[in-house]
């Protein structure tokens, strides 16, 4: 059962400062979107995959964390094969997979508190300009990182309940209850946040 996106460890990526990891992710994103070189995308994919596998996850757990996103990427790639040249589809696919793997590695080696603190610091200059509320953005990110595992666990529970009742497991029959339960949790969390005055008016 997935209880947290962060895993304890002492890898090189674990020891790297949060700001450096976030800036590296931004820099990699810009670099990969500025180039259409298949070789560059492939190198980035291999390096990102190596970093992701170095954080201490088993092959099964590593695949489970990115499996659904990869499935979506492959589906989009299959559709694009009818619309774009093969080389361009390969570039798009490798680019997305490299970024997903790098982001997954950063997420696995950074605590939620670390993310929130660093995002608050990085967005403070924009808050002074009146563009964002740094604390609100960091809180939103922290909530997403905290409850993604819960949503995945709830999905598994609904799927197992369908199987136990002999019902066919179809995405359309699962996504409805999942959305309802998630929205109920969101309302409860929002009410708790407002009650504690975490969000400034």
């Amino acid at each position: 059962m997935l209880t947290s996106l962060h895993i304890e460890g002492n890898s090189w990526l674990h020891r790297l400062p949060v700001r450096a990891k976030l800036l590296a992710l931004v820099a990699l994103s810009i670099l990969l979107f500025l180039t259409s070189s298949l070789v560059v995308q492939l190198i980035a994919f291999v390096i990102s995959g190596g970093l992701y596998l170095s954080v201490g996850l088993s092959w099964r757990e590593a695949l489970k964390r990115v499996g659904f996103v990869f499935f979506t990427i492959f589906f989009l790639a299959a559709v694009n094969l009818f619309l774009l040249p093969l080389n361009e589809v390969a570039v798009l696919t490798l680019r997305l997979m490299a970024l997903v793997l790098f982001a997954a590695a950063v997420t696995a080696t950074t605590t939620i508190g670390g993310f929130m603190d660093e995002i608050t610091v990085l967005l403070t200059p924009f808050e002074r300009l009146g563009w964002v509320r740094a604390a609100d953005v960091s809180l939103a990110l922290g909530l997403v990182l905290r409850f993604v595992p819960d949503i995945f666990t709830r999905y598994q529970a609904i799927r197992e309940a369908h199987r136990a009742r002999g019902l066919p497991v179809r995405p359309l029959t699962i996504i409805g209850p999942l959305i309802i339960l998630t929205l109920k949790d969101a309302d409860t969390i929002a009410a708790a946040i407002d009650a504690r005055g975490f969000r400034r008016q």
Side-chain angles (χ1 to χ4, degrees), residues 48-68:
S48 298
L51 287 174
Y52 181 50
L53 293 176
S54 72
V55 302
L57 291 168
S58 65
W59 281 88
R60 182 177 180 181
E61 180 66 21
L63 182 59
K64 181 188 297 184
R65 288 178 173 231
V66 299
F68 180 76

Side-chain angles (χ1 to χ4, degrees), residues 12-164:
W12 172 78
L13 205 55
H14 279 89
R15 297 192 299 271
L16 198 65
V18 179
R19 183 173 305 183
K21 288 186 279 192
L22 292 176
L23 293 177
L25 178 58
V26 172
L28 179 64
S29 302
I30 295 173
L31 172 65
L32 294 186
F33 276 96
L34 287 179
T35 180
S36 298
S37 170
L38 182 61
V39 174
V40 172
Q41 307 293 339
L42 181 59
I43 292 174
F45 170 73
V46 172
I47 293 175
S48 298
L51 287 174
Y52 181 50
L53 293 176
S54 72
V55 302
L57 291 168
S58 65
W59 281 88
R60 182 177 180 181
E61 180 66 21
L63 182 59
K64 181 188 297 184
R65 288 178 173 231
V66 299
F68 180 76
V69 181
F70 273 17
F71 174 80
T72 304
I73 293 174
F74 290 145
F75 175 78
L76 294 175
V79 173
N80 283 327
L81 283 174
F82 296 97
L83 307 172
L84 301 171
L86 178 60
N87 184 75
E88 191 170 343
V89 174
V91 168
L92 291 172
T93 303
L94 287 173
R95 176 186 294 144
L96 292 175
M97 292 174 67
L99 291 176
V100 167
L101 288 172
F102 195 93
V106 171
T107 304
T109 57
T110 308
T111 63
I112 295 176
F115 268 121
M116 294 178 65
D117 292 343
E118 199 57 48
I119 291 296
T120 301
V121 172
L122 292 174
L123 292 181
T124 297
F126 298 100
E127 183 174 32
R128 295 194 184 103
L129 295 174
W131 293 357
V132 296
R133 290 182 175 179
D136 286 354
V137 175
S138 66
L139 177 61
L141 176 64
L143 289 173
V144 170
L145 294 176
R146 167 61 182 85
F147 288 102
V148 162
D150 286 354
I151 294 173
F152 181 75
T153 300
R154 190 173 293 116
Y155 166 81
Q156 291 180 316
I158 296 173
R159 184 182 60 184
E160 293 303 320
H162 275 64
R163 288 177 176 171

